[in-house]
Amino acid sequence: MTGVLIALLAVPLAAGFLGLLGGKRVAPLLAVLGTTAAMVFALLLALEVNPGDHTAAVDLNSTWIPSIGVSFHIAIDGLNAVLVLLTTFVFAIGTWWSLRDPELATPSYLFLLAIGEAAVLGAFVAQDLILFVLCFDLMLLPFVLIAARGAGGDGEFSIGPVLLLLVYTLVGSLLMFVAAVGLAILTAKNTGQPVTFDLAALYGATLAPSTQRWILLAFLAAFLIKMPVVPFHGWFPGAYRTMPLPALAIFAAILSKVAAYGFLKIALPLLPDAVVDWRLVLVILALVSIIYGSLVAFTTNEPRLILGYSSVAQLGFILLGISSLDPAGAQGAIFQSVTHALVVVPAVILLALVSERAGGVERLDQLGGIAKRAPVLSALFLVVVLCWLAMPGTGNFVAEYLVLLGQWRVAPWAAIIASIGVVLAAAYALRFMIGAMQNLRGAAVPEHGVDIGGFERGLLALSIAALAVVALVPQLGLRPSDAASRNAVYPARSLYESQKKAGGDEAVAGVPAEDQESTR
Amino acid sequence: MTSTVGTLAWLVLLAPLFGAISIGLLFKQLSGRAAGALATTVLFTSFALSVATLVALQSEPEESRQVTANLWDYAVTAGLDVKLSLLVDPLSVIMMLVVTGVSSLIHLYATAYMVSDEGYNRFFSYLNLFVFSMLVLVLGGNLVLLIVGWGLVGMASYLLISFWYRRKTATKAGIKAFLINVFGDVGIVLGSFLLLRHAGTVDYLELFAKAEGAFAAHPHDLTWGLVLILLGAFAKSAQFPLHTWLPDAMEGPTPVSALIHAATMVTAGVYLIARLHPLFELSDVAATVGVVIGTITLVMAATMAIVQTDLKRIIAYSTMSQIGYMVVAVSAGAYTAGIFHLMTHAFFKALLFMAAGSVIGAMGGVQDIDRMGGLRKALPFTFACFMIGSLALAGLPPFSGFFSKDEILGGLLERGDWYTIIAAIGYLAALLTACYSFRAIYKVFYGDLNEETQQIADGHHLHFAPANPSTGEAEDYEVGFPGKEHHTAEENLPMKVAMGTLAFLAVVAGLLQIPHVTHVVGDFLHPTFHASELLEQTEASTSTALLGMGLGTLAALLGIGIATQLWLKKPGSTAGIQAKLQSLHTLLSNKYYVDEAIDLIIVRPFRWAGAVFERHTERLVTQTAVVGGSSGVVRIASALVRAAQTGSVRIYAAVVSSSTAAILLYALVVR
Amino acid sequence: MIAVVKTPTFDWEALAPIVALGGGMVVALVLGLLPGRGGRFLAVLSGVIATGIAIGAAVLLWNHGVQREAIARSVVIDRASLAAIVIASGSALTGILLAARAHGTEDAGHGETTALILASAFGMAILASANDLVTIFLGLEMLSIPLYVLCASHVDRTASLESGLKYLILGSVGSATALMGLALLYGATGSMYLPDIARTAGDSDLQGLIYPGVALLIAGFGFKLSLAPLHQWTPDVYDGAPTAVTAFMSVATKTAALVVTARLLLVGLGAEDVRDLWEPILLTLAAASIIIGNVGALGQPGMKRLMGYSSIAQAGYLVAALAVGAVGALLAYLAAYAVSTLTVFAVVSARESERPELGDDISALDGLAKERPLLAWLGTLGLFGLAGLPLTAGFFGKVAVAGALVNADKAWLAVLILIGSIISLAYYAPPVIRMWRTVGPDAEEASDEPISVTSTPSGAPNLAGGATGSAGVVAPVPTGLRWEVALIGTVAAALVLAGGLYPDPLLNLATEASAALFGVQ
Amino acid sequence: MSITWYLAVSAILFAIGLFGVFVRRNPLVLLLCLELLLGAANLALLAFDRHHAANDGSILAIIVMVVAACEVTVGLGIVVAMHRRGQPIDVDRTRELQG
């Protein structure tokens, strides 16, 4: 299966590159083939995962840069299998959708998307710290270039939002880069072994808590900015405004999840002491993101930003799940990553369709009344919005339930505050739907409208089918990561518990006895 | 894997889902009444399957009448074990029967009532979806599935309240209902965590089995968990202070009001408390909270109903009030009575709404009872149905409401202690109930014909230019607004059949459970409540039962008498009373200012915060603080460096030389 | 009486690259005299062949002995000098190709342009291999004087002449400073030969002169390396010089100067006490360069000027590595810098001939991805390579430098490099963003098109602007894409990418080369 | 005579040359000043040559003279080119490139 693993990364990239060489005629075809093939490979790989086992199901470890101890070590395990599958799915939908607009889907653009896909997949499957960091930084660049398409006007500030996207998010990434190097070198000093960036080797040896703290700080800078978490979200409104929508769908759906994944893959296992020390900070950041994001999403008039701020809030939930250091929270975070991505993609598609029906206007106060003119669109919109606000019965609800459950076990107050966000989510999602689709016709909406075409219907049907799967059988998404997520939170979790016990707190996080047993 | 009962239950559940999805997918193909016919057929099938389930369950021995039917793992991870499972026991079966039965009739009614609406297909798709959701709620075998059903009914309710989505008032009412219900959902979610924490399971049967042991050491957690769950129950069942959405929910089409906001969904809270009764019996505090809130609601709602002039809202308040009785009943341990009242209430309240719908149809959409009058002759069938419904509601023997309500109050009397006071309040509210129901009857059906109703008496329907009844905004008849034609039961057989059936049930259903005579409901429910001690305590003795029935009859008659005096005999006399009690009237007609209070305490601060964040904080975050702060230094430095770049060779040479000199100096001095 | 001239020993095999460059210079000069297109073609061809031979010979020599004394002890060919020769020849090749059909080269004469570039490269080769002070000065001037001429070679452009004059005057001051330093060094040790200097340092009665000598030497070479605060000539000269020349000198001059400085400081002046003198000076200069270069480049409207400032910052990174003696990291980063810079200049030059009215103005890059996707990809790779982003050689170059600094307990400078890199994104990225944007100045008509999925709500008015053609100059006629420019850009970009994908060979070669340098001791 | 004197004269010459570069605006005079700088270095070189009784310094000095000639040639060429374009022969007015 290692061949498939390589093909997973290489095939979309190769397809994109050949498309670049082949020109306008073949590039779309190759892009479709590449993304589809990646999806098939991801599915094959995901099937290899044994849910009861947290070790890698498919593992490839080859030398890359021996001179500085960096290896090309990639693997599929329970933690990343579902996310990898998700990534290929989202990229496939996004790429196919892009093909609708030949102006947009130039060979260069398709190759950029392919680079993005390879980088994101690389970050998910990386088992080497430098490889992870490299992919983490790299995945941003294609989207910056794509966002650059929309950088309007001349003068200094016209390219500002794109520049901000690049610089702001890379600040964090570069810090993480330094921290990664420091982590490996210091670990090597501790163990007396030659420097290696292989995660498996790093997991065993934990650093002194004081060292962990500054390293975690750098990792946090990278992850929190990329997610983004309030107040580190300053880059995203501009970026959301300039990015073409198909790319935005991918960007909003996937890139933030890599950061969330990074917490589980890197931060929690490698820096347990620091994570436990700063758990409260993370919880508070998560809560602030949830409430703040929801409130602004509820207030703003730009649909893109509603989407964006709601993502901030939802990412807050993911962070909340992670910071619970509880298996349920971690499972919830991973599953929320999946469900949120699956809902963002159709949401962006719908946003595009709505704006198309309003002459390109993207202002909520000028929209309205589209439902009457486009009943199919309206129905699909409704389904997506219901998933978006985590209606019980959807996969998104299961994810939020697990997140809140995990947090409840350690800090009920945080779960209670977070649940305000659940109500607010309903408020902004419905406000968006009502504002866009219902009530009387908005100023920008023409008298006679048309419903959506077959291509969009197909795309939305696919997305909604995916949503239906996670709604009906959430277990499909939860099962593979069961053991792996438990393993990921275990170091920090056990540390947290021992500290609590030492502190004489009798009610340790409220995990039932047998559950604590199963954590081991 | 599943027994016959289980399979049947799954089929009951899936039939309406099939209906909803197929109508949804075929909405362009289905024309005329096809969608209505399909939906109704599906529902009658579902009802038939429910009856089959009942039969199958009854054929089991009594001790094994609690059947779980699993499909597949839903979410089994990290200490959570949720399977897609149904729990079929007498309680869920009775709920299933009520839901599918009443729904079938309302579907039938709606096939005619909604026929001129442009959103006909959509309506039936939603309606079927609602029934599916409600069945998930009552059949779900664990707390998580309950929450799923709970959320889904809220969603369906939202969809149907804002069915006429181009009306701003409708979408507003919808979002309000939805948000309050989500708030309740959150309560149940958080409550479930507390139960899960100690019992380690969300499965009902396991939970009940482990509850006593698990919570012995943590009584407070149990109480808190149940109080949180009660939040959900109160939100769904429109109990104080989460009731404000229900009157607004009358924005929805009348069949919706009949089905969701009277017969089925709003009673979910009662079902929930009954379902979790083994837990409530372990926590006095939680049960007391239920009793107190139920009592407050039943009085409040009854008083508000007296001053309402909107026909549907009067019935809506009466619904709140009646659910208050049920909540009191199940919280106090009178489970049989509560569920029995739930059932009879479903019949007569659905009937009342249907009749109201017929009246509104004749009035061309007008709901204001001040504009009605003398319709007794013009709408005889409707009048008869409305009268039967009102008599049942008022609790006059031998109508169904009499027996069920009095079983509740009798149970409370029997339990004694402070419950006696609750019972007294209950009787007082019963008086008010009779009073406002007959106020509506007198104002709508009695009195003189006015200009408008005269036309109805002449055999015409009223027609008005399409407009929103609450705001007067002009509308059209397109999709998203109510249809052009309105319908009355007099002209439409399906409506007549549905109302007739319910009227019959409203009259006779009480006979199922006459104190010390018949025990059909109680016996049937016994397997569910067999372990309950409270149930026995609330089993009214003969004397109490007789006392209760006497008091009940008296209250009802008194109420009707007052109404007759005020609105039939001396129609103008209320103005004087109103003038004397001006402040009270203002308080009541403003619904105790609960809406305003919620707006002030919750809605406005959030809106304000959102506006401040968006307008000010965001700019700070995106521009000034983070970016500008750091780049400002850089920009200044950049300006300095570029200013130094004068372009003059001589200055450059001077800089080079002085730098060299500095290095030289360093070398000579520092070394 | 016949004087017996004692001829030094020549190792012609080892000298092959240097001879190729020198020979090429002569041949190009002669062939360039032929009339018409033939002369132009032959001159350029000879230049290409000469640099090709130089590169090939250097590659072949790589494994032939660690160190060979090519001309007596004065010129030493080792892996460090070979590395420098390869990079210098590569940039000479680039410069020749960029100049071949560029506007303005017609006036300068093709033979002359090619010959001067080769002459300068010849000087660089000598400088990089120089093992005594005389050869160092000779190489330095051999490198500089052709460059003065090249800078001024667009004689009908005021800026070019100004650039040449400024470079000449300031460069001469720098050379004189360096010469003074050399003289003092000679005075202090009594020897011109670097290993002897190292050996005899401390023996002489004038040994105290070594400190001012070192100070002046650092100032002189710091000037050539454009280290702040000796940097001020750089933006002006880079800006005014013809693009091909800027491309050539920004890479090649640095390479030669760095290698010779490394040799001088580490071989000749590596003694503990002397090292204690120059290390803090170099670190300070490096830090100042990183700050001033990065800050100055912000918001520059011209690509060449921007690259001028950026080269100051890059020199800072390089000298930081040099200061802690990490020649391996230095060479690895230098190679990455070289290929990235050449890529960028190839794009700028290609654009210049297509949009001559905009010249090297950053706005010439608007919408490049749509018009010339290849150039956009190249430019992106080059600029991201300079910024040290992933998948480019610069990423691992920075890894090497930062690692070396952390190892030498100079983590503060590593952090400063990090901060500098972040600032540098703010000027490397705008050209890239402009390349990829579609709503450039031409978007006015496009906005009437039916709504597509790419539409953006922020429809700021798009005004053409920033075009600053020099007054009084007749705008040259635009030409198509010159294939040789695209080719050399592609090769350089491919190397950028290769270094980013599989940096191990680069890192190993750099380590080998640095080992050769230390092998002298 | 002590080598110090030679060095002092050399330093003074160097300083004069530099001062000239600072204050003069005519490129031709600047070229002269540059010659002074190199001359100063040459003086130092020859002094050291004598002091060490070696001849390496002389060789370098001769090379420096050649280099100085080259520099001046190039400088003159540029000045002539500027003159032919009608540009002012004044470094203070030759500052189009700045910022």
Side-chain angles (χ1 to χ4, degrees), chain A residues 32-160:
Chain A
V32 170
L33 287 177
T35 49
T36 315
M39 214 165 16
V40 173
F41 296 145
L43 195 62
L44 288 175
L45 289 167
L47 291 176
E48 291 284 303
V49 173
N50 174 10
D53 185 5
H54 66 79
T55 55
V58 183
D59 192 279
L60 171 74
N61 191 354
S62 68
T63 54
W64 182 26
I65 320 174
S67 42
I68 49 176
V70 177
S71 56
F72 189 76
H73 187 183
I74 56 177
I76 289 283
D77 56 24
L79 207 58
N80 63 22
V82 177
L83 293 168
V84 165
L85 187 59
L86 170 83
T87 305
T88 56
F89 178 78
V90 169
F91 268 93
I93 298 273
T95 308
W96 300 345
W97 181 27
S98 307
L99 299 178
R100 260 311 246 189
D101 181 2
E103 282 281 295
L104 175 69
T106 56
S108 289
Y109 169 88
L110 293 172
F111 184 41
L112 285 174
L113 282 189
I115 295 175
E117 176 162 10
V120 172
L121 290 173
F124 277 135
V125 298
Q127 305 295 319
D128 184 284
L129 196 51
I130 287 290
L131 185 61
F132 175 82
V133 171
L134 189 139
C135 289
F136 190 86
D137 291 2
L138 178 64
M139 69 185 180
L140 175 76
L141 302 183
F143 288 94
V144 170
L145 298 185
I146 290 172
R149 298 175 57 92
D154 219 61
E156 197 181 350
F157 292 104
S158 59
I159 56 169

Side-chain angles (χ1 to χ4, degrees), chain C residues 430-449:
Chain C
V432 175
I433 295 172
R434 278 167 175 274
M435 287 180 205
W436 288 92
R437 76 179 186 179
T438 49
V439 279
D442 309 341
E444 223 71 356
E445 307 101 276
S447 62
D448 291 331
E449 286 174 4

Side-chain angles (χ1 to χ4, degrees), chain C residues 69-472:
Chain C
E69 296 180 343
I71 305 176
R73 300 188 305 173
S74 298
V75 175
V76 175
I77 298 291
D78 58 14
R79 282 174 177 168
S81 56
L82 288 175
I85 288 172
V86 169
I87 296 176
S89 306
S91 33
L93 174 63
T94 310
I96 291 167
L97 287 179
L98 295 192
R101 286 194 281 163
H103 297 293
T105 315
E106 298 291 342
D107 311 323
H110 289 93
E112 286 82 343
T113 305
T114 308
L116 282 169
I117 291 177
L118 287 175
S120 185
F122 175 70
M124 289 161 186
I126 289 177
L127 185 61
S129 332
N131 205 28
D132 71 18
L133 301 183
V134 180
T135 320
I136 287 177
F137 183 71
L138 197 61
L140 190 65
E141 290 300 317
M142 193 68 211
L143 171 167
S144 301
I145 294 174
L147 279 181
Y148 303 152
V149 183
L150 281 169
C151 284
S153 65
H154 276 191
V155 283
D156 57 355
R157 227 159 35 89
T158 321
S160 179
L161 290 175
E162 181 183 336
S163 152
L165 185 66
K166 275 184 177 169
Y167 197 15
L168 171 72
I169 294 170
L170 294 167
S172 299
V173 173
S175 296
T177 311
L179 178 65
M180 204 65 186
L182 293 176
L184 289 176
L185 208 54
Y186 170 61
T189 59
S191 171
M192 289 278 182
Y193 179 55
L194 290 184
D196 283 355
I197 291 176
R199 233 167 280 134
T200 55
D203 294 352
S204 164
D205 54 337
L206 294 177
Q207 57 148 318
L209 285 177
I210 203 166
Y211 299 118
V214 167
L216 289 176
L217 268 176
I218 289 178
F221 282 101
F223 176 88
K224 290 286 169 198
L225 286 166
S226 47
L227 289 178
L230 308 150
H231 67 283
Q232 283 189 303
W233 61 277
T234 316
D236 289 7
V237 170
Y238 278 31
D239 193 2
T243 308
V245 176
T246 313
F248 168 64
M249 71 176 167
S250 62
V251 173
T253 316
K254 272 203 182 58
T255 309
L258 273 170
V259 171
V260 75
T261 313
R263 205 185 286 280
L264 191 61
L265 292 180
L266 298 172
V267 176
L269 302 166
E272 193 71 23
D273 58 332
V274 190
R275 195 186 175 115
D276 283 348
L277 172 66
W278 56 255
E279 194 183 274
I281 298 178
L282 281 188
L283 289 173
T284 312
L285 292 181
S289 305
I290 291 169
I291 295 168
I292 290 182
N294 279 318
V295 160
L298 287 172
Q300 291 290 356
M303 279 305 288
K304 283 193 281 182
R305 200 167 186 81
L306 190 155
M307 291 299 286
Y309 275 109
S310 121
S311 82
I312 297 169
Q314 302 280 356
Y317 306 149
L318 290 162
V319 170
L322 174 62
V324 295
V327 181
L330 164 72
L331 288 174
Y333 191 76
L334 182 64
Y337 165 74
V339 283
S340 306
T341 308
L342 293 178
T343 312
V344 173
F345 275 112
V347 174
V348 172
S349 169
R351 218 39 201 161
E352 234 172 7
S353 52
E354 288 195 309
R355 305 280 294 272
E357 75 282 5
L358 293 175
D360 72 324
D361 194 274
I362 192 170
S363 60
L365 298 172
D366 268 330
L368 194 60
K370 213 172 169 187
E371 275 176 58
R372 297 261 182 234
L374 174 68
L375 290 184
W377 279 102
L378 299 184
T380 306
L381 261 175
L383 286 162
F384 280 178
L386 286 174
L389 294 183
L391 272 206
T392 65
F395 181 78
F396 289 104
K398 280 217 172 96
V399 174
V401 172
L405 287 174
V406 172
N407 247 352
D409 282 337
K410 296 286 181 294
W412 63 271
L413 199 52
V415 171
L416 194 63
I417 290 181
L418 182 78
I419 294 171
S421 302
I422 291 168
I423 299 175
S424 77
L425 281 172
Y427 59 86
Y428 287 133
V432 175
I433 295 172
R434 278 167 175 274
M435 287 180 205
W436 288 92
R437 76 179 186 179
T438 49
V439 279
D442 309 341
E444 223 71 356
E445 307 101 276
S447 62
D448 291 331
E449 286 174 4
I451 298 312
S452 68
V453 281
T454 55
S455 65
T456 61
S458 61
N462 305 319
L463 303 169
T468 52
S470 302

Side-chain angles (χ1 to χ4, degrees), chain B residues 475-540:
Chain B
E475 295 176 350
D476 55 42
Y477 296 118
E478 261 286 1
V479 55
F481 282 133
K484 184 169 191 170
E485 295 301 324
H486 294 272
H487 301 276
T488 58
E490 275 65 21
E491 300 160 347
N492 287 283
L493 188 63
M495 290 169 71
K496 242 181 200 163
V497 172
M499 287 164 69
T501 315
L502 281 176
F504 171 74
L505 288 171
V507 176
V508 304
L511 305 178
L512 292 174
Q513 181 88 351
I514 302 169
H516 301 283
V517 183
T518 53
H519 307 94
V520 181
V521 178
D523 289 347
F524 176 67
L525 288 174
H526 186 249
T528 302
F529 300 110
H530 66 95
S532 167
E533 292 165 16
L534 284 181
L535 188 60
E536 283 163 31
Q537 290 179 27
T538 56
E539 204 81 61

Side-chain angles (χ1 to χ4, degrees), chain B residues 64-88:
Chain B
S64 60
R65 281 188 201 157
Q66 287 187 318
V67 182
T68 43
N70 290 346
L71 268 197
W72 59 69
D73 284 358
Y74 185 69
V76 184
T77 183
L80 185 69
D81 183 359
V82 183
K83 297 193 173 59
L84 220 52
S85 70
L86 301 187
L87 171 62
V88 188

